[in-house]
Amino acid sequence: MSSLELVIILPIVLGFLGYLISFLRNEFYFLGAVLNFYYALRIFLVSRKMDITKRIFEIFNFTVDKLSGFIILFISLFTFLILIYSVRYLKYYQKKKEYFYYLLLIGSISCGIVLSGNILTLILFWGILLALIFGFFQLTTKNDSEYAFVKSIFILGLSDFLLILGFSLLFVSYGNIPLNLKISFNNNLNILSFILISIGCFAKAGAMPFHSWIPEISKIMPASTMAFIPASLDKLLGIYLLIRTSYFLFDINTNLVLKNYLMIIGSITILAAVLMALIQKEAMKLLSFHAVSQVGYMVLGIGTGTPIGIAGGLFHMLNHAIYKATLFLTTGQVEYWTKETKIEKLGGLAPNMPITFSSFLISALAISGIPPLNGFFSKWMVYQGVLSLYKENNYLFPLYLLSAMLGSILTLASFLKLTHSIFLGERPKEYEKVKEVNFSLWFPSIFLAFLCVLFGILAFPLPLKGLIYPALSFLKVEPFGFWQPLLAFLLIILGIIIGVVIYFLGTVKKVEIKEIFVGGEILEEKERHFSGDQFYSPVKEIPLLSKGYEFGEEGSFDFYNYFKAIFGVISLLFKKIIDFILEFIYQKIVYLANIFGILLKKIQSGNLVDYLVAIFLGIIIIFLILIL
Amino acid sequence: MILEKNFVNPYLLFTFALPFLATLIYSLKDKEIRNWEFYLFLFLLIFSSVVIILANNLLLIYIFFEISTLASWRLVLLKRENEKAGSYLLYLNFSGAVLMLIGILLLLLENNFEKITYETFNLANISRISFIAGILISCGIFAKSAIIPFYNWLPPVYAVSPIPVVALLAGIGENLGLILFYKIFLSEIIIENLFYNFISLLAIFSSLIAGGIAYFEKEPRKILAYSTISQLSFILFGLALKEEKAIVGSLILILAHALAKPGLFYKLKAQENNVSNFGYSLLSLSLIGIPPFLGFSGKLLIILGSLQRDLFLGILAIFSSIFTLLYTLKFYPLLKKEKGENIISTSIVYIFGLLLLLLGIIALIYFWGIIL
């Protein structure tokens, strides 16, 4: 067996052993994740040199090229880091045995999706992943989880069904084709397949209007799940498949309408989700809305069809997986001690948890697009991609650019709120004894935060030259000199040094703390607690936006509600009209049959005269028939 | 090649074997139904089903078709208070059967069967069926398989009958209609295409409507009843499309349904633990039609066949599948909370779930390679 099979099979087998053998459980799970990573690394290194293809059972096919090589590396890396994190984080979780096994299974099956070389293999693994997610979301220990479970599985199930249908349509026309044929959009069926497949990708990645399962699932699952599925894994898979479909299976550059379709979805996702995120009062939910909003940049970048935009979209996917996973993990670290994710109850935890705070801060700055971190770099590339639409006479580009930039500003604003509310400001009394978390909890997040910095400063030599450009080798992306990350980094460091020097020169004096008097009374500490949850609440009162927020909070932008309502009405009509009418007719037939029976019974009176009359009438009728 | 008799007949017998075995084993433990009457009619049902599959004689098939109706009627009446539901079943099935008999007589007239002998009833002797005869014969099939508009008997029967009886009906009794349709109408017989178009349209609307009603209902047993109507109509739709892909899909779906639906009913009696819940998840996933479960192969083949035939039919089939997803997710939490004690039920749920997974993978590897 080669690494292509081992990367999938080994975690499954070792996980199963871990599931059975209780005293070596964590060791087996750990070994499974390590071997998964090891073989993924081997596949990645081989894919640098050449593409590999392998057939199994005649109809299945595994293929590795440079794109899938680097995606698989990151999938296994995230599986590994989140397993390390979860072992400690979910120490007292009721169903942790199953949880870890599912984690490994989902990781390995995702590798299978990325390795799929033809349609049938992809359909198979995509379906298995849905089945696994179906099981995984049931591991919640929270009460009243049914709504969230049903909603998320419905959205994922429906979109996966459409995706599979899209691939099956291609299957019927072209057979079990490999995923790099560059089919042109010369007939309507191909366009339909592309749209169906893209719906599957959108729901997986969380683009609007198929996003609403992510905030919903954040209510019932622990932080590690959020960091694993919506934050990293599903982004990698959804965007990977979108790129694979748009530029390998099809060639979207031949169809302007489809490109605009992607870009419009992207822009709307960026703006609408970030506006919703701005007013959230629960940390996990706020982060989930950002997990939706950021997908917009990726879809926008991919939709531009320009080399730099596509590379930017792909790079943004990678960056997003890194910093969003960090944000969820660090929020989980805070929750680990405080058992709280409502931001009004938190505050001032930075001195207690310095490592958690620093990784949170780095990733928050990265997602807000502050140079020189990685998030800035990829957004910058996406902007450039959108700008270069000018050359193609696509005059919608200012709108796309505006929504992307506005989204970035609002992201910064909402992360100012989150950082302030959790880590800065007044600390509530009950959290005074909060300590920094254990090594196995902070290691994954600080490692990922380090990647944020690394991929930002050394963006060009490391991720772009090493991963992104080779993966998109068909595009011929030119190196560009608009932005010198290293120089910017040095300048920023210089600025910080100057700031520190000024601080120590003594021009900034220590502040004096005085009691606060309001109406002649000293405020208690509790009342002095100034939480960030009311930040930006005036946004809700801006005339046009206020209606939007009203609708948003009612769930009017949630396609699931409409879908449910439409199908509910149809089912009501079926029940009340068709079922009722048919039942009515049936009852009437039974009634008539009964009457007929009663009539027959009445004729049988036992009276000789009656029978004679009947015989006589019968004879007359027979005679009449014979004569006529 | 797949649709040859030598292959299909054993396969259809196999679809009966598993629900039958499950019922037999279950009955050993359940005192309520363990009596001579149950076993008598159980074996009568199985015997008549086997004859229907293997026989090549229309008269013989018709007689045993009726015997199977009688057997299911008596099985429903094991609990004497189920009289109303039982009479629903009997009336509708016999009305269907009368129409069917008229259809068979018409068929005889059309084929110039001068002397009605035992041999002339042979299916191989039939060369053409008129539209009217086809529809009349189909009425009996509709009543048996509970296709709208002959479906009224099914919800009340499912609501009151003992679990193993319902499982038998869902797994064996109702499939007989579909099998008869396959045997009579899908061999070398000439019927105008209008007949198939009419039946497929009726079947897909039946599937859609029943799916809609299932989504409306609130009790697990009622949802399962309408879900059965929807699924069986969907299978009939696949058969009536008369495309090789869709027919194979329907035959696969017969097995998938014969495992999934009895399994879901046994979940009502199963213990609430990890084993039964795991099996239950697998059953639901197969019912929804997620790869690599068996339900997926069948459903997708039917949808592909219908899309090839006509875009409109394909879209209706897709809508029907969406309803399946909706109502399955609706009863999923409901049924999960059901608490029974029967350990055999638990294992049946588990084994059926695993079988659906295993057979699904085999179907995916084997059939997809051959057909497409």
Side-chain angles (χ1 to χ4, degrees), chain A residues 251-284:
Chain A
D251 189 5
I252 200 179
N253 266 326
T254 54
N255 194 318
L256 192 67
V257 180
L258 285 179
K259 272 164 71 179
N260 274 322
Y261 152 77
L262 288 185
M263 285 190 281
I264 288 170
I265 294 244
S267 319
I268 292 174
T269 304
I270 294 174
L271 259 189
V274 83
L275 281 171
M276 284 308 289
L278 209 55
I279 55 155
Q280 297 303 321
K281 293 176 180 170
E282 214 268 336
M284 289 290 179

Side-chain angles (χ1 to χ4, degrees), chain A residues 344-575:
Chain A
E344 64 169 332
K345 301 220 169 132
L346 294 166
L349 290 171
N352 302 38
M353 312 175 91
I355 303 174
T356 307
F357 174 59
S358 24
S359 32
F360 184 90
L361 187 67
I362 290 170
S363 44
L365 292 175
I367 194 175
S368 317
I370 303 291
L373 295 166
N374 59 354
F376 168 77
F377 206 91
S378 48
K379 275 183 192 172
W380 181 249
M381 286 168 76
V382 173
Y383 297 156
Q384 284 192 332
V386 175
L387 272 174
S388 58
L389 287 178
Y390 175 71
K391 287 180 212 155
E392 297 174 13
N393 300 331
N394 188 340
Y395 295 114
L396 282 172
F397 82 94
L399 287 179
Y400 302 142
L401 194 66
L402 191 71
S403 69
M405 290 188 149
L406 198 58
S408 188
I409 295 164
L410 294 176
T411 308
L412 177 63
S414 75
F415 274 95
L416 280 177
K417 167 182 169 177
L418 198 60
T419 318
H420 169 86
S421 317
I422 298 179
F423 291 103
L424 306 175
E426 200 80 22
R427 178 176 55 211
K429 228 177 186 176
E430 60 263 38
Y431 299 141
E432 251 158 39
K433 286 181 185 161
V434 169
K435 291 179 292 182
E436 183 55 79
V437 286
N438 191 285
F439 166 79
S440 64
L441 280 178
W442 62 251
F443 170 73
S445 51
I446 200 86
F447 176 77
L448 290 171
F450 170 71
L451 279 187
C452 282
V453 179
L454 194 70
F455 281 10
I457 298 169
L458 301 176
F460 193 66
L462 267 181
L464 283 179
K465 244 185 172 172
L467 305 170
I468 310 286
Y469 288 169
L472 302 171
S473 51
F474 63 96
L475 285 174
K476 299 191 186 70
V477 193
E478 308 126 29
F480 56 101
F482 274 67
W483 174 248
Q484 297 271 337
L486 203 58
L487 181 66
F489 176 66
L490 290 177
L491 286 174
I492 288 169
I493 292 288
L494 194 68
I496 292 173
I497 291 170
I498 292 171
V500 171
V501 168
I502 292 172
Y503 179 80
F504 281 112
L505 279 177
T507 47
V508 181
K509 284 181 183 159
K510 281 198 171 172
V511 287
E512 194 179 342
I513 299 171
K514 286 196 168 180
E515 304 279 305
I516 301 170
F517 289 94
V518 173
E521 282 187 36
I522 301 173
L523 284 183
E524 281 184 21
E525 204 156 333
K526 226 180 184 179
E527 289 163 335
R528 277 211 313 258
H529 175 62
F530 173 64
S531 156
D533 71 326
Q534 294 302 323
F535 278 22
Y536 319 122
S537 39
V539 176
K540 274 189 187 172
E541 280 141 33
I542 298 172
L544 259 177
L545 283 180
S546 65
K547 274 280 164 210
Y549 274 117
E550 226 171 78
F551 286 136
E553 283 180 353
E554 284 168 9
S556 305
F557 297 132
D558 190 347
F559 116 101
Y560 175 72
N561 290 342
Y562 289 110
F563 207 85
K564 240 179 109 176
I566 292 169
F567 277 80
V569 169
I570 294 174
S571 77
L572 183 78
L573 288 178
F574 284 160
K575 174 75 188 173

Side-chain angles (χ1 to χ4, degrees), chain B residues 80-275:
Chain B
R80 290 293 185 268
E81 64 267 23
N82 295 349
E83 201 180 328
K84 199 177 166 216
S87 45
Y88 257 91
L89 188 156
L90 194 67
Y91 291 163
L92 262 167
N93 272 304
F94 264 103
S95 326
V98 169
L99 296 175
M100 191 179 195
L101 196 59
I102 299 171
I104 290 176
L105 289 175
L106 265 178
L107 193 145
L108 287 177
L109 291 174
E110 282 158 11
N111 284 277
N112 296 326
F113 286 56
E114 282 153 6
K115 286 182 211 157
I116 300 176
T117 62
Y118 193 68
E119 284 75 32
T120 49
F121 271 93
N122 212 320
L123 281 178
N125 290 348
I126 302 169
S127 59
R128 62 175 293 277
I129 305 178
S130 73
F131 181 75
I132 306 273
I135 293 290
L136 285 172
I137 293 174
S138 304
C139 283
I141 288 167
F142 286 177
K144 190 84 194 165
S145 296
I147 314 282
I148 290 176
F150 290 87
Y151 72 107
N152 305 46
W153 63 272
L154 197 128
V157 164
Y158 272 32
V160 293
S161 303
I163 297 290
V165 173
V166 181
L168 265 183
L169 283 179
I172 299 174
E174 287 152 27
N175 287 344
L176 291 178
L178 303 173
I179 289 167
L180 195 59
F181 188 89
Y182 175 75
K183 285 192 77 139
I184 297 181
F185 297 116
L186 292 176
S187 39
E188 301 286 318
I189 294 175
I190 304 163
I191 320 178
E192 38 193 326
N193 270 336
L194 182 66
F195 170 75
Y196 292 105
N197 292 343
F198 178 74
I199 298 283
S200 57
L201 208 60
L202 193 76
I204 193 63
F205 271 114
S206 166
S207 170
L208 202 59
I209 291 166
I213 299 173
Y215 182 51
F216 177 82
E217 294 289 350
K218 289 182 180 65
E219 284 171 47
R221 273 180 175 236
K222 282 214 161 156
I223 300 177
L224 287 175
Y226 281 103
S227 143
T228 308
I229 300 171
S230 173
Q231 294 289 314
L232 291 172
S233 311
F234 197 72
I235 298 172
L236 182 69
F237 167 68
L239 290 174
L241 282 174
K242 228 187 159 193
E243 303 247 352
E244 196 195 4
K245 262 193 212 92
I247 293 172
V248 174
S250 296
L251 291 178
I252 292 175
L253 212 52
I254 286 180
L255 179 57
H257 186 253
L259 289 176
K261 203 44 71 67
L264 290 177
F265 271 106
Y266 281 117
K267 176 71 180 80
L268 289 169
K269 287 270 177 191
Q271 296 157 315
E272 207 224 346
N273 55 19
N274 278 349
V275 176

Side-chain angles (χ1 to χ4, degrees), chain A residues 59 98 124 127-128 130 138 146 154 165 168-169 171-172 564 567 571-572 575 578-579 582-583 586-587, chain B residues 88 151-152 209 212 215-217 226 274 290-292 300 307-308 318 323 332-333 336-337 364-365 372:
Chain A
I59 49 173
E98 290 86 2
L124 177 71
I128 298 175
L130 177 64
Q138 284 182 60
E146 276 153 28
F154 175 73
L165 193 69
S168 309
L169 286 176
F171 199 116
V172 173
K564 240 179 109 176
F567 277 80
S571 77
L572 183 78
K575 174 75 188 173
I578 295 176
D579 202 41
L582 287 173
E583 184 70 26
Y586 174 75
Q587 295 292 358
Chain B
Y88 257 91
Y151 72 107
N152 305 46
I209 291 166
Y215 182 51
F216 177 82
E217 294 289 350
Y226 281 103
N274 278 349
I290 288 171
L300 196 65
L307 278 173
Q308 266 184 341
I318 290 168
F323 264 128
Y332 187 79
K336 216 175 164 200
K337 285 180 194 151
L364 209 61
I365 293 171
L372 298 162

Side-chain angles (χ1 to χ4, degrees), chain A residues 64 100 255 316 344 348 551 605:
Chain A
V64 186
F100 297 147
N255 194 318
H316 199 70
E344 64 169 332
F551 286 136
S605 59

